[in-house]
Amino acid sequence: MEMTLYSSSSFSLPSAPSNPSLSLFTSSFRFSSFKTSPFSKCRIRASLAVEQQTQQNKTALIRIGTRGSPLALAQAHETRDKLMASHTELAEEGAIQIVIIKTTGDKILSQPLADIGGKGLFTKEIDEALINGDIDIAVHSMKDVPTYLPEETILPCNLPREDVRDAFISLSAASLADLPAGSVIGTASLRRKSQILHRYPSLTVQDNFRGNVQTRLRKLSEGVVKATLLALAGLKRLNMTENVTSTLSIDDMLPAVAQGAIGIACRSNDDKMAEYLASLNHEETRLAISCERAFLTTLDGSCRTPIAGYASRDKDGNCLFRGLVASPDGTRVLETSRIGSYTYEDMMKIGKDAGEELLSRAGPGFFNS
């Protein structure tokens, strides 16, 4: 398992190094921008060695496990900052460390996610590190988390949800509707592909348009595709919304289950971590995600299945749920909606009931078309 370790310094962390060996980066490395005499450099190196040894000897109170993409690191930093703001003992230098773990989904970039198969492509190795005690909590994008959780783990915390909508990004068109027939759109999501083709069958979708946000934007600028869709939540967390051409409404593009939500897991027998996470949990988000995941569980959704679902609180305080399943080619799209009280029991029932309805309407062979 490849892991990289960072301390909880307030500086901006670099991207994951290519060297798979365990590394510790602290704010002390910023001295390189200053001009110093040879004697001063020796003193700095000595001071650095002492500080680094002190950091390594100090046992972190919390080790946060995460993927190494810029977005995953932004989510880990958000979690770290909230923990430091809520608990004084965690605000001390070295109290929180960020451990980068490379997942199967990060290693295999040449194939569409649907072709790789299996669940937990972006979570399995992180979950293993959690169970083995290599990390104390795991920060996930909730839409990557399988509907089941590994034994010995719980996911008691969702941070406040970001904007769930998808962003349209193009250098030549203002919207999907403005793209000429035959234009190629890049996406790794079957959910997006099926909804695009359902509304705009004259467009072409390249469904192995993978990589982190920066990689996809580079491919777009190089003309590999005419447009792409990205989660607006990720662009906001990366402070990259200046790249957005337009934002798709929920009516035009129903989001993925749990899109825009961050989930934090810990070991089921770790009461201290569960207590820390309870202080960060945003209950309205947790209930919405529970409803959507009940819908997904009923449909037994995977990366091979175009499924969308979104639960929100309406103006009257009730839960409004909308769900969708589609054939991969977009020729058939089935939708449903439910309204009920914004409580855990009712919302779980809403999600399950909506899933059962669409499963019945879809019939056998629907997802093979």
Side-chain angles (χ1 to χ4, degrees):
M1 181 182 298
E2 299 181 19
M3 296 192 295
T4 306
L5 179 65
Y6 294 96
S7 75
S8 61
S9 305
S10 58
F11 74 106
S12 178
L13 295 171
S15 299
S18 58
N19 187 344
S21 62
L22 198 64
S23 305
L24 178 66
F25 293 81
T26 69
S27 55
S28 55
F29 282 87
R30 302 182 76 172
F31 80 90
S32 58
S33 60
F34 297 100
K35 292 183 179 180
T36 58
S37 67
F39 179 71
S40 297
K41 288 180 180 178
C42 291
R43 292 174 60 187
I44 289 172
R45 281 196 295 268
S47 175
L48 244 177
V50 171
E51 182 174 348
Q52 185 174 5
Q53 187 64 42
T54 300
Q55 287 288 347
Q56 290 173 334
N57 289 341
K58 182 171 181 178
T59 302
L61 298 178
I62 299 181
R63 295 162 298 168
I64 300 175
T66 177
R67 295 170 59 205
S69 72
L71 177 56
L73 284 174
Q75 295 178 163
H77 295 165
E78 180 179 342
T79 301
R80 177 202 62 186
D81 293 346
K82 288 180 181 295
L83 285 167
M84 293 173 70
S86 301
H87 304 276
T88 55
E89 72 273 22
L90 299 180
E92 296 182 9
E93 183 73 20
I96 301 177
Q97 291 174 337
I98 293 176
V99 181
I100 295 175
I101 300 169
K102 208 162 192 179
T103 67
T104 301
D106 298 315
K107 297 172 184 176
I108 305 175
L109 297 175
S110 59
Q111 299 172 256
L113 292 174
D115 291 348
I116 300 173
K119 298 182 181 180
L121 294 173
F122 295 106
T123 61
K124 181 176 179 287
E125 287 81 0
I126 299 174
D127 289 334
E128 289 174 350
L130 180 62
I131 293 169
N132 293 336
D134 297 319
I135 58 175
D136 301 301
I137 63 175
V139 177
H140 298 299
S141 292
M142 279 303 301
K143 67 178 182 179
D144 292 336
V145 178
T147 51
Y148 64 90
L149 294 177
E151 292 184 12
E152 304 178 45
T153 72
I154 55 174
L155 205 158
C157 175
N158 289 120
L159 299 185
R161 196 173 198 174
E162 236 321 339
D163 197 316
V164 303
R165 294 174 296 171
D166 282 317
F168 174 80
I169 304 175
S170 176
L171 301 178
S172 60
S175 67
L176 284 168
D178 292 334
L179 287 169
S183 295
V184 178
I185 304 172
T187 179
S189 163
L190 289 182
R191 169 190 64 86
R192 292 183 178 123
K193 175 185 177 180
S194 62
Q195 292 187 74
I196 290 170
L197 293 179
H198 182 70
R199 289 179 175 273
Y200 306 100
S202 65
L203 299 178
T204 301
V205 176
Q206 181 188 121
D207 57 8
N208 190 28
F209 196 72
R210 295 189 55 206
N212 61 36
V213 171
Q214 290 80 357
T215 299
R216 297 186 202 194
L217 292 178
R218 175 180 55 78
K219 290 180 180 179
L220 175 64
S221 68
E222 292 171 351
V224 176
V225 295
K226 286 293 185 182
T228 187
L229 300 184
L230 294 172
L232 185 57
L235 294 168
K236 286 188 172 185
R237 290 189 174 116
L238 290 168
N239 295 314
M240 295 177 65
T241 53
E242 71 276 6
N243 294 284
V244 175
T245 304
S246 59
T247 303
L248 281 70
S249 70
I250 299 298
D251 291 333
D252 289 335
M253 181 66 63
L254 198 62
V257 164
Q259 183 156 308
I262 297 172
I264 312 174
C266 66
R267 289 180 291 276
S268 54
N269 63 354
D270 195 334
D271 294 339
K272 185 61 177 177
M273 291 303 125
E275 182 181 339
Y276 279 136
L277 297 185
S279 68
L280 302 188
N281 181 57
H282 187 253
E283 189 64 6
E284 181 174 333
T285 297
R286 190 185 74 86
L287 293 178
I289 300 307
S290 296
C291 177
E292 295 168 20
R293 283 167 62 81
F295 172 71
L296 188 64
T297 300
T298 304
L299 292 167
D300 192 28
S302 70
C303 290
R304 292 183 174 275
T305 313
I307 296 173
Y310 178 48
S312 61
R313 192 190 292 269
D314 66 15
K315 59 183 177 61
D316 298 318
N318 294 317
C319 171
L320 172 60
F321 175 79
R322 295 178 59 180
L324 172 155
V325 296
S327 58
D329 61 4
T331 54
R332 291 185 65 197
V333 172
L334 304 177
E335 299 181 68
T336 190
S337 62
R338 298 285 189 284
I339 296 179
S341 66
Y342 211 96
T343 61
Y344 180 78
E345 292 77 11
D346 281 3
M347 292 172 74
M348 290 293 286
K349 183 178 179 181
I350 285 172
K352 181 180 179 182
D353 186 63
E356 289 175 344
E357 178 200 328
L358 292 187
L359 202 59
S360 174
R361 287 169 57 190
F366 176 80
F367 299 113
N368 297 324
S369 59

